[in-house]
Amino acid sequence: MLHRFIKLICMLLGLAIFQSVVAQEKPKHVVVISIDGFRPEFYMDSSMPTPNLQEMFREGVAAKEVTGIFPTVTYPSHTTLITGTTPKEHGIYYNTLIKEDGSAGGWVYDFREIKSKTLWQAAKEKGLVTASVSWPVSVNAQYIDYNIPEFWSFENPMDRRGATSEKANPKGLFEEVVKNATGTLEINDYNLSSLTMDQNLARIAGYLLRKYRPNLLTIHLPITDGAQHRQGRKGLMVRKAIAGADNAIGVIRDALQKAGIEKETTIIVTGDHGFVDVHTQIAPNVLLAQHGLYEKKGGRPKAFFFSAGGSAFLHLRDENDEETLERIQQLFEELPIEIRSTFDIVNRDQIAIRGGDPRVRLALTAQRGYSFSNDTEGSLMTYKKGGKHGYYPNFHDIATGFVGDGKGMQKGEVIENMYLEDVGKIVASLLQLQLNQDPNFYHSTLKNGN
């Protein structure tokens, strides 16, 4: 499993010698657009309904694949994009908290949970103006001047309007963008139920670009994720969502032109993970329960697997319980071949390579066609069709993408592979920001002014 990463590390060492870029090649503005569930095929496949992305692909620089972090899920990945670090440094390990009984708790949304320095902070330290629209884990982010965070009502999660208004910065910003960018929003105009969400988010970003001209703007477009969860990698709903995301990019590009800052701007379109078609769901906690290992003490099981979709992470009540760890390893190794062949066991060293939860000693990652649940009762394996992510990032389908176009970017450059954490480093280099970490990345993405 590690041979691919060893090869990539060697490639990175060969290509990633940091090269400074002269001031005239640096943009004054960078827009980072994250498309949830963004796949390289969206811009490399000419049959896709993505004229904006394909134009950027021809005119700028792109990657054939971007290797994600582990697990390949939305909130940890977006925190990697904004910090240039993996979860073991920035501290956002999963989309949600974990309850005492091993089930999923509330979503991680508060910026104060992030342990690493962010691009927003680095930009503010340089005196730059920052803005963000619907970016995960951005609530209470004091370094964002104009912030419309990703947030919703806990009482009625479908209604995001009031909660977003409450957490927007400065106060009244949500009302300002509704008045000037979107018009009156009904409940389903501003949630994940329809294509309208991406369009409204793009209009908000466009308004902020024209009105306030931020040096750094980040925006998350979520709708392609839900479509792929429902239909998998292909389907009419997926194509519509992809077309909608591309149209949103067009709205943002148009706003840059109308703001008169297009020639001084770099646009980066990237994502958090790819997608895998699935047909069967595995419940590893059922096996633990069958062997008495899910027994609870003080509300916390002796051992449980926490599902991230395509992977499941083993948590022990006592992290140093070697006896239980060995017993669980043996249980899964001795499963019948027709079950054992549906997943791989990921050890602590492999978890660390892609920055996974350092508290975890062992994880499972599913083969294509399979995913995991947190169920503790019922069958070990059940039929479950759709699309999933969260897998260990060692195959193409789960990779995300990268396209960069504008001032300071190479023209027509295609990179075989890069890492998700490279994106934050590239943005830092473009805006000459200090992230307090190793700045090495694929230097060919940037123009060399020498």
Side-chain angles (χ1 to χ4, degrees):
M1 183 180 289
L2 295 180
H3 72 280
R4 180 172 179 273
F5 286 102
I6 294 172
K7 180 180 178 181
L8 291 175
I9 289 169
C10 292
M11 183 191 304
L12 188 62
L13 290 173
L15 292 177
I17 301 173
F18 179 75
Q19 296 186 6
S20 62
V21 183
V22 294
Q24 61 264 30
E25 293 293 347
K26 296 292 190 182
K28 294 180 180 178
H29 310 271
V30 174
V31 176
V32 180
I33 304 170
S34 167
I35 298 176
D36 210 308
F38 186 51
R39 296 164 17 216
E41 296 79 39
F42 291 5
Y43 50 87
M44 298 192 72
D45 182 350
S46 60
S47 70
M48 284 287 185
T50 54
N52 285 290
L53 278 168
Q54 291 180 48
E55 182 181 24
M56 292 177 65
F57 173 52
R58 292 190 300 270
E59 296 296 321
V61 60
K64 290 185 178 180
E65 61 178 26
V66 178
T67 298
I69 47 89
F70 187 48
T72 44
V73 293
T74 299
Y75 278 34
S77 296
H78 277 83
T79 310
T80 289
L81 288 172
I82 204 66
T83 62
T85 62
T86 61
K88 66 182 179 183
E89 288 89 26
H90 64 57
I92 309 300
Y93 305 124
Y94 312 102
N95 284 340
T96 68
L97 303 172
I98 304 175
K99 293 182 180 178
E100 283 295 305
D101 64 357
S103 63
W107 285 69
V108 181
Y109 59 84
D110 197 315
F111 174 82
R112 292 169 292 194
E113 297 291 328
I114 300 175
K115 298 177 181 177
S116 296
K117 188 176 182 179
T118 65
L119 290 169
W120 301 314
Q121 178 181 350
K124 289 311 301 172
E125 289 174 352
K126 195 180 176 184
L128 302 182
V129 178
T130 57
S132 188
V133 180
S134 194
W135 197 269
V137 203
S138 65
V139 172
N140 298 320
Q142 70 269 35
Y143 303 107
I144 304 175
D145 294 306
Y146 303 99
N147 187 18
I148 304 292
E150 181 163 285
F151 200 53
W152 51 86
S153 166
F154 296 150
E155 290 74 29
N156 180 11
M158 289 294 286
D159 194 348
R160 297 183 171 216
R161 298 166 300 174
T164 302
S165 172
E166 181 184 348
K167 298 298 184 181
N169 179 62
K171 291 296 184 183
L173 182 63
F174 186 70
E175 288 73 20
E176 178 183 341
V177 298
V178 167
K179 176 182 178 181
N180 294 288
T182 68
T184 302
L185 293 172
E186 301 297 331
I187 186 170
N188 288 335
D189 294 327
Y190 200 73
N191 62 31
L192 305 183
S193 66
S194 72
L195 299 174
T196 310
M197 180 64 160
D198 279 357
Q199 305 310 306
N200 281 322
L201 293 175
R203 292 185 187 105
I204 291 170
Y207 170 77
L208 294 177
L209 288 166
R210 294 177 68 180
K211 175 73 172 180
Y212 299 108
R213 291 174 170 76
N215 304 101
L216 173 64
L217 182 139
T218 55
I219 175 173
H220 170 224
L221 302 174
I223 296 301
T224 45
D225 181 75
Q228 291 177 94
H229 274 299
R230 288 188 287 274
Q231 291 192 324
R233 291 170 61 86
K234 298 180 179 180
L236 180 59
M237 185 186 300
V238 175
R239 289 184 66 85
K240 286 181 177 180
I242 293 168
D246 187 80
N247 180 261
I249 294 170
V251 170
I252 292 169
R253 296 177 79 189
D254 182 65
L256 289 168
Q257 187 177 39
K258 289 176 178 175
I261 58 175
E262 180 185 27
K263 295 186 182 303
E264 298 297 325
T265 301
T266 297
I267 302 177
I268 289 174
V269 183
T270 186
D272 44 7
H273 52 73
F275 257 91
V276 175
D277 292 330
V278 298
H279 52 69
T280 302
Q281 191 166 260
I282 309 167
N285 287 325
V286 167
L287 186 63
L288 296 186
Q290 289 172 349
H291 290 82
L293 294 169
Y294 192 74
E295 61 183 24
K296 296 181 181 179
K297 181 179 180 181
R300 184 174 178 83
K302 185 174 186 179
F304 65 86
F305 280 96
F306 184 71
S307 169
S311 59
F313 292 78
L314 178 64
H315 289 258
L316 301 173
R317 190 160 62 211
D318 177 359
E319 290 183 25
N320 299 313
D321 188 349
E322 298 293 337
E323 181 180 348
T324 299
L325 177 63
E326 291 176 9
R327 187 179 174 194
I328 291 171
Q329 287 177 305
Q330 185 177 2
L331 280 176
F332 282 90
E333 290 288 5
E334 293 178 351
L335 286 169
I337 186 64
E338 63 269 22
I339 299 176
R340 178 64 185 85
S341 62
T342 64
F343 63 87
D344 288 325
I345 295 176
V346 185
N347 63 38
R348 177 173 256 178
D349 289 341
Q350 293 167 314
I351 293 170
I353 286 175
R354 293 310 300 139
D357 188 343
R359 302 166 298 179
V360 171
R361 302 283 299 278
L362 176 152
L364 308 176
T365 186
Q367 296 291 339
R368 291 175 183 83
Y370 298 86
S371 65
F372 295 101
S373 77
N374 282 329
D375 295 345
T376 59
E377 298 177 346
S379 300
L380 179 60
M381 305 182 78
T382 55
Y383 179 74
K384 185 76 172 180
K385 189 175 180 180
K388 290 287 186 180
H389 52 86
Y391 299 79
Y392 194 80
N394 63 343
F395 60 101
H396 178 76
D397 284 0
I398 200 58
T400 190
F402 174 94
V403 181
D405 186 28
K407 187 167 186 178
M409 304 300 283
Q410 291 281 12
K411 182 180 176 63
E413 184 78 27
V414 178
I415 301 169
E416 289 294 322
N417 180 281
M418 57 189 286
Y419 291 106
L420 195 68
E421 54 268 39
D422 289 338
V423 178
K425 296 176 183 180
I426 290 169
V427 175
S429 178
L430 287 166
L431 290 174
Q432 300 183 5
L433 308 179
Q434 295 296 321
L435 281 180
N436 299 332
Q437 58 169 292
D438 182 358
N440 289 342
F441 59 85
Y442 286 86
H443 69 281
S444 58
T445 58
L446 302 180
K447 285 183 179 178
N448 183 4
N450 296 328

